[in-house]
Amino acid sequence: MAITLTRPDDWHLHLRDGAAMAAVLPDTARRFGRAIVMPNLKPPVTTVAAARAYRDRILLARPAGSTFEPLMTIYLTDNTAPAEIAAAKQSGIVHAVKYYPAGATTNSESGVTDWHKARPALAAMEQHDLPLLLHGEVTDSDVDVFDRERVFLARHLAPLQRDFPGLRMVLEHVTTADAVDYVRAAGPKLAATITAHHLLWNRNAIFQGGIRPHAFCLPVLKRERHRQALVAAATGDDPRFFLGTDSAPHARHTKEHSCGCAGIYTAHAGIELYAEAFAAQGKLDRLQAFASERGPDFYRLPRNRDRITLEPVPMPVPATLAYGEHELVPMRAGETVAWRLVSATA
Ligand code: NCD
Ligand code: ZN
């Protein structure tokens, strides 16, 4: 049976820039009303002026007639000035600040080396009520890559909450039962986003019959027990878990490489993949809350007013998609997704 829901938003998205952005933006704009756009460009979007210019480029690249709204973020560094935070809040176009531990993931080289250095900016965010979005992984080389999220909770998140109790934070793309438990036990100022690929795949996907670079993302996929905890959180009652695809396109040759990039492209089926995960649980009735209600409520934005309809008809996914002068390999390439977007009505 088809389902109709309030148009969803994507609270964690990589759009890239230039021809790559023009290639991927229509996939998101067709499904989602708004998206929190990640600032990890080269160079990163560290100022309001850069965020404004990036937003203008996104608006120019929108398909004709699209009302998709990019919600901009700025990239926190050790030296972000409190005045930049005040200007971000004032701008009305910047909705959050992104914290990448330096070296944690794609284009995080300019990220935070030690958040104590960013205290003035964090205090300003607390004061102006501008949310902090966390890539919640430690980067210490002595910490096992599968433990990096769990270790971040005690080592960094708890002290951040203690030192900035008024700061609203989103633990982005949670991947472990530990993170789910942590968020559940925390107060209303902490929320989390969950990707579709972490709901559908466990870490076996990376090694299915050989090494699968297109299943490599950060935080890396975890074992089945963790996937189940994420599914329970996404389909459960806690309003602090909501949708963030973390769709992260990379040109095919940069993933099929001796040192392949992290990131999975899911925007081509950005809501359909979640429908699959929720249907597998018999919880399709919870999809609207997760995809369309809790995110805007946390960000204090109105919920969308228009609706989309999905039907349970297998949608074939091409083996590759155009990506500027290159190509990219989307999730489920050459296979099908169990749901199809039928219509989007105002
Ligand atoms: C993201 C990217 O490619 O920008 N990659 C990823 O694996 N998720 C960065 C990020 O969100 O960590
Ligand atoms: Zn991301």
mmCIF file of all heavy atoms in Angstrom, residues 12 14 16 38 40 98 100 105-106 135 173 197 216-219 246 248-250 262-264, ligand 1:
data_model
loop_
_atom_site.group_PDB
_atom_site.id
_atom_site.type_symbol
_atom_site.label_atom_id
_atom_site.label_comp_id
_atom_site.label_asym_id
_atom_site.label_seq_id
_atom_site.Cartn_x
_atom_site.Cartn_y
_atom_site.Cartn_z
ATOM 1 N N HIS A 12 21.319 16.192 7.525
ATOM 2 C CA HIS A 12 22.790 16.036 7.378
ATOM 3 C C HIS A 12 23.081 15.620 5.946
ATOM 4 O O HIS A 12 22.864 14.470 5.570
ATOM 5 C CB HIS A 12 23.331 14.975 8.350
ATOM 6 C CG HIS A 12 24.823 14.837 8.302
ATOM 7 N ND1 HIS A 12 25.621 14.948 9.409
ATOM 8 C CD2 HIS A 12 25.674 14.599 7.266
ATOM 9 C CE1 HIS A 12 26.889 14.787 9.070
ATOM 10 N NE2 HIS A 12 26.951 14.564 7.771
ATOM 11 N N HIS A 14 25.771 16.177 2.341
ATOM 12 C CA HIS A 14 26.928 16.720 1.622
ATOM 13 C C HIS A 14 26.521 16.994 0.180
ATOM 14 O O HIS A 14 26.159 16.056 -0.537
ATOM 15 C CB HIS A 14 28.097 15.730 1.656
ATOM 16 C CG HIS A 14 28.567 15.449 3.054
ATOM 17 N ND1 HIS A 14 29.509 16.220 3.691
ATOM 18 C CD2 HIS A 14 28.176 14.511 3.951
ATOM 19 C CE1 HIS A 14 29.687 15.762 4.924
ATOM 20 N NE2 HIS A 14 28.889 14.724 5.107
ATOM 21 N N ARG A 16 28.600 19.025 -1.876
ATOM 22 C CA ARG A 16 29.801 19.389 -2.659
ATOM 23 C C ARG A 16 29.569 20.736 -3.359
ATOM 24 O O ARG A 16 28.780 21.534 -2.925
ATOM 25 C CB ARG A 16 30.178 18.277 -3.655
ATOM 26 C CG ARG A 16 30.213 16.866 -3.070
ATOM 27 C CD ARG A 16 31.051 16.705 -1.831
ATOM 28 N NE ARG A 16 31.181 15.290 -1.457
ATOM 29 C CZ ARG A 16 31.477 14.880 -0.231
ATOM 30 N NH1 ARG A 16 31.651 15.737 0.767
ATOM 31 N NH2 ARG A 16 31.606 13.590 0.024
ATOM 32 N N MET A 38 26.345 20.353 4.834
ATOM 33 C CA MET A 38 27.641 20.265 5.509
ATOM 34 C C MET A 38 28.657 21.215 4.860
ATOM 35 O O MET A 38 28.649 21.408 3.644
ATOM 36 C CB MET A 38 28.158 18.827 5.465
ATOM 37 C CG MET A 38 27.364 17.902 6.368
ATOM 38 S SD MET A 38 27.566 18.368 8.112
ATOM 39 C CE MET A 38 25.861 18.466 8.618
ATOM 40 N N ASN A 40 32.025 20.952 4.696
ATOM 41 C CA ASN A 40 33.383 20.423 4.484
ATOM 42 C C ASN A 40 33.805 20.465 3.015
ATOM 43 O O ASN A 40 34.161 19.463 2.417
ATOM 44 C CB ASN A 40 33.531 19.004 5.067
ATOM 45 C CG ASN A 40 32.625 17.976 4.421
ATOM 46 O OD1 ASN A 40 31.564 18.300 3.912
ATOM 47 N ND2 ASN A 40 33.050 16.712 4.436
ATOM 48 N N LYS A 98 29.399 23.132 12.553
ATOM 49 C CA LYS A 98 29.834 21.741 12.502
ATOM 50 C C LYS A 98 31.229 21.563 13.104
ATOM 51 O O LYS A 98 32.161 22.278 12.742
ATOM 52 C CB LYS A 98 29.841 21.253 11.043
ATOM 53 C CG LYS A 98 30.268 19.799 10.859
ATOM 54 C CD LYS A 98 29.272 18.825 11.485
ATOM 55 C CE LYS A 98 29.774 17.390 11.476
ATOM 56 N NZ LYS A 98 29.524 16.683 10.239
ATOM 57 N N TYR A 100 34.204 19.093 13.274
ATOM 58 C CA TYR A 100 34.949 17.923 12.817
ATOM 59 C C TYR A 100 36.225 17.841 13.637
ATOM 60 O O TYR A 100 37.048 18.764 13.561
ATOM 61 C CB TYR A 100 35.371 18.057 11.342
ATOM 62 C CG TYR A 100 34.255 17.968 10.349
ATOM 63 C CD1 TYR A 100 33.771 19.108 9.721
ATOM 64 C CD2 TYR A 100 33.696 16.738 10.012
ATOM 65 C CE1 TYR A 100 32.745 19.027 8.785
ATOM 66 C CE2 TYR A 100 32.669 16.653 9.076
ATOM 67 C CZ TYR A 100 32.203 17.797 8.469
ATOM 68 O OH TYR A 100 31.195 17.715 7.549
ATOM 69 N N THR A 105 37.682 12.742 9.189
ATOM 70 C CA THR A 105 36.951 12.296 8.011
ATOM 71 C C THR A 105 37.292 13.180 6.814
ATOM 72 O O THR A 105 38.241 13.973 6.876
ATOM 73 C CB THR A 105 35.434 12.283 8.322
ATOM 74 O OG1 THR A 105 34.723 11.712 7.228
ATOM 75 C CG2 THR A 105 34.896 13.689 8.588
ATOM 76 N N THR A 106 36.538 13.021 5.728
ATOM 77 C CA THR A 106 36.773 13.782 4.499
ATOM 78 C C THR A 106 36.850 15.288 4.763
ATOM 79 O O THR A 106 35.943 15.847 5.378
ATOM 80 C CB THR A 106 35.614 13.499 3.503
ATOM 81 O OG1 THR A 106 35.486 12.088 3.332
ATOM 82 C CG2 THR A 106 35.873 14.157 2.164
ATOM 83 N N HIS A 135 30.712 15.606 14.621
ATOM 84 C CA HIS A 135 31.215 14.342 14.098
ATOM 85 C C HIS A 135 31.837 13.665 15.321
ATOM 86 O O HIS A 135 32.947 14.001 15.720
ATOM 87 C CB HIS A 135 32.242 14.546 12.984
ATOM 88 C CG HIS A 135 32.675 13.236 12.397
ATOM 89 N ND1 HIS A 135 32.310 12.805 11.143
ATOM 90 C CD2 HIS A 135 33.409 12.229 12.933
ATOM 91 C CE1 HIS A 135 32.806 11.595 10.929
ATOM 92 N NE2 HIS A 135 33.479 11.227 12.003
ATOM 93 N N HIS A 173 25.019 11.273 12.592
ATOM 94 C CA HIS A 173 25.176 9.905 12.078
ATOM 95 C C HIS A 173 25.647 8.922 13.164
ATOM 96 O O HIS A 173 26.741 8.364 13.067
ATOM 97 C CB HIS A 173 26.099 9.856 10.860
ATOM 98 C CG HIS A 173 27.340 10.713 10.919
ATOM 99 N ND1 HIS A 173 28.239 10.649 11.944
ATOM 100 C CD2 HIS A 173 27.818 11.652 10.071
ATOM 101 C CE1 HIS A 173 29.208 11.509 11.714
ATOM 102 N NE2 HIS A 173 28.966 12.126 10.584
ATOM 103 N N HIS A 197 21.880 4.140 5.509
ATOM 104 C CA HIS A 197 22.807 3.003 5.319
ATOM 105 C C HIS A 197 23.158 2.350 6.640
ATOM 106 O O HIS A 197 23.326 1.130 6.683
ATOM 107 C CB HIS A 197 24.042 3.385 4.504
ATOM 108 C CG HIS A 197 24.734 4.648 4.877
ATOM 109 N ND1 HIS A 197 24.277 5.891 4.511
ATOM 110 C CD2 HIS A 197 25.880 4.882 5.572
ATOM 111 C CE1 HIS A 197 25.105 6.826 4.963
ATOM 112 N NE2 HIS A 197 26.081 6.237 5.612
ATOM 113 N N PHE A 216 32.059 1.819 2.298
ATOM 114 C CA PHE A 216 32.930 2.437 3.312
ATOM 115 C C PHE A 216 32.508 3.879 3.570
ATOM 116 O O PHE A 216 32.456 4.691 2.648
ATOM 117 C CB PHE A 216 34.397 2.396 2.865
ATOM 118 C CG PHE A 216 35.314 3.129 3.802
ATOM 119 C CD1 PHE A 216 35.357 2.802 5.161
ATOM 120 C CD2 PHE A 216 36.115 4.167 3.355
ATOM 121 C CE1 PHE A 216 36.194 3.494 6.037
ATOM 122 C CE2 PHE A 216 36.958 4.854 4.222
ATOM 123 C CZ PHE A 216 36.992 4.522 5.569
ATOM 124 N N CYS A 217 32.213 4.156 4.812
ATOM 125 C CA CYS A 217 31.861 5.508 5.224
ATOM 126 C C CYS A 217 32.411 5.711 6.619
ATOM 127 O O CYS A 217 32.898 4.778 7.253
ATOM 128 C CB CYS A 217 30.347 5.685 5.231
ATOM 129 S SG CYS A 217 29.512 4.619 6.428
ATOM 130 N N LEU A 218 32.324 6.943 7.087
ATOM 131 C CA LEU A 218 32.683 7.246 8.471
ATOM 132 C C LEU A 218 31.511 7.931 9.161
ATOM 133 O O LEU A 218 30.852 8.757 8.530
ATOM 134 C CB LEU A 218 33.928 8.132 8.513
ATOM 135 C CG LEU A 218 35.229 7.391 8.154
ATOM 136 C CD1 LEU A 218 36.368 8.381 7.954
ATOM 137 C CD2 LEU A 218 35.580 6.355 9.216
ATOM 138 N N PRO A 219 31.223 7.639 10.394
ATOM 139 C CA PRO A 219 31.795 6.509 11.111
ATOM 140 C C PRO A 219 31.492 5.195 10.384
ATOM 141 O O PRO A 219 30.424 5.024 9.827
ATOM 142 C CB PRO A 219 31.095 6.546 12.468
ATOM 143 C CG PRO A 219 30.555 7.935 12.601
ATOM 144 C CD PRO A 219 30.263 8.394 11.207
ATOM 145 N N ASP A 246 23.399 11.819 5.528
ATOM 146 C CA ASP A 246 24.858 11.824 5.335
ATOM 147 C C ASP A 246 25.216 11.327 3.931
ATOM 148 O O ASP A 246 26.266 10.705 3.726
ATOM 149 C CB ASP A 246 25.589 11.000 6.404
ATOM 150 C CG ASP A 246 27.089 11.293 6.432
ATOM 151 O OD1 ASP A 246 27.504 12.331 5.901
ATOM 152 O OD2 ASP A 246 27.840 10.471 6.990
ATOM 153 N N ALA A 248 26.978 11.244 0.839
ATOM 154 C CA ALA A 248 28.322 11.819 0.699
ATOM 155 C C ALA A 248 28.953 11.321 -0.595
ATOM 156 O O ALA A 248 29.663 10.312 -0.612
ATOM 157 C CB ALA A 248 29.183 11.440 1.896
ATOM 158 N N PRO A 249 28.659 12.019 -1.711
ATOM 159 C CA PRO A 249 29.149 11.546 -3.009
ATOM 160 C C PRO A 249 30.652 11.712 -3.173
ATOM 161 O O PRO A 249 31.235 12.701 -2.716
ATOM 162 C CB PRO A 249 28.398 12.452 -4.007
ATOM 163 C CG PRO A 249 28.103 13.711 -3.250
ATOM 164 C CD PRO A 249 27.870 13.272 -1.830
ATOM 165 N N HIS A 250 31.252 10.715 -3.782
ATOM 166 C CA HIS A 250 32.658 10.786 -4.187
ATOM 167 C C HIS A 250 32.737 10.192 -5.578
ATOM 168 O O HIS A 250 32.058 9.201 -5.869
ATOM 169 C CB HIS A 250 33.541 9.950 -3.248
ATOM 170 C CG HIS A 250 33.712 10.534 -1.881
ATOM 171 N ND1 HIS A 250 34.679 11.467 -1.581
ATOM 172 C CD2 HIS A 250 33.014 10.333 -0.741
ATOM 173 C CE1 HIS A 250 34.588 11.806 -0.295
ATOM 174 N NE2 HIS A 250 33.576 11.138 0.243
ATOM 175 N N ALA A 262 35.967 7.976 2.163
ATOM 176 C CA ALA A 262 34.813 7.557 2.967
ATOM 177 C C ALA A 262 33.579 8.319 2.536
ATOM 178 O O ALA A 262 33.626 9.541 2.392
ATOM 179 C CB ALA A 262 35.098 7.826 4.441
ATOM 180 N N GLY A 263 32.471 7.621 2.364
ATOM 181 C CA GLY A 263 31.219 8.285 2.049
ATOM 182 C C GLY A 263 30.366 7.411 1.162
ATOM 183 O O GLY A 263 30.885 6.760 0.247
ATOM 184 N N ILE A 264 29.064 7.399 1.429
ATOM 185 C CA ILE A 264 28.116 6.588 0.658
ATOM 186 C C ILE A 264 27.060 7.527 0.095
ATOM 187 O O ILE A 264 26.524 8.375 0.825
ATOM 188 C CB ILE A 264 27.469 5.502 1.551
ATOM 189 C CG1 ILE A 264 28.556 4.557 2.078
ATOM 190 C CG2 ILE A 264 26.391 4.722 0.774
ATOM 191 C CD1 ILE A 264 28.050 3.488 3.040
HETATM 192 C C1 NCD B 1 31.643 12.460 4.600
HETATM 193 C C2 NCD B 1 32.147 13.137 3.320
HETATM 194 O O1 NCD B 1 32.503 12.438 2.382
HETATM 195 O O2 NCD B 1 32.143 14.375 3.258
HETATM 196 N N1 NCD B 1 32.020 11.074 4.573
HETATM 197 C C3 NCD B 1 31.434 10.058 5.252
HETATM 198 O O3 NCD B 1 31.927 8.939 5.187
HETATM 199 N N2 NCD B 1 30.345 10.257 5.960
HETATM 200 C C4 NCD B 1 32.159 13.180 5.790
HETATM 201 C C5 NCD B 1 31.486 12.775 7.086
HETATM 202 O O4 NCD B 1 30.316 13.079 7.304
HETATM 203 O O5 NCD B 1 32.146 12.121 7.894
#
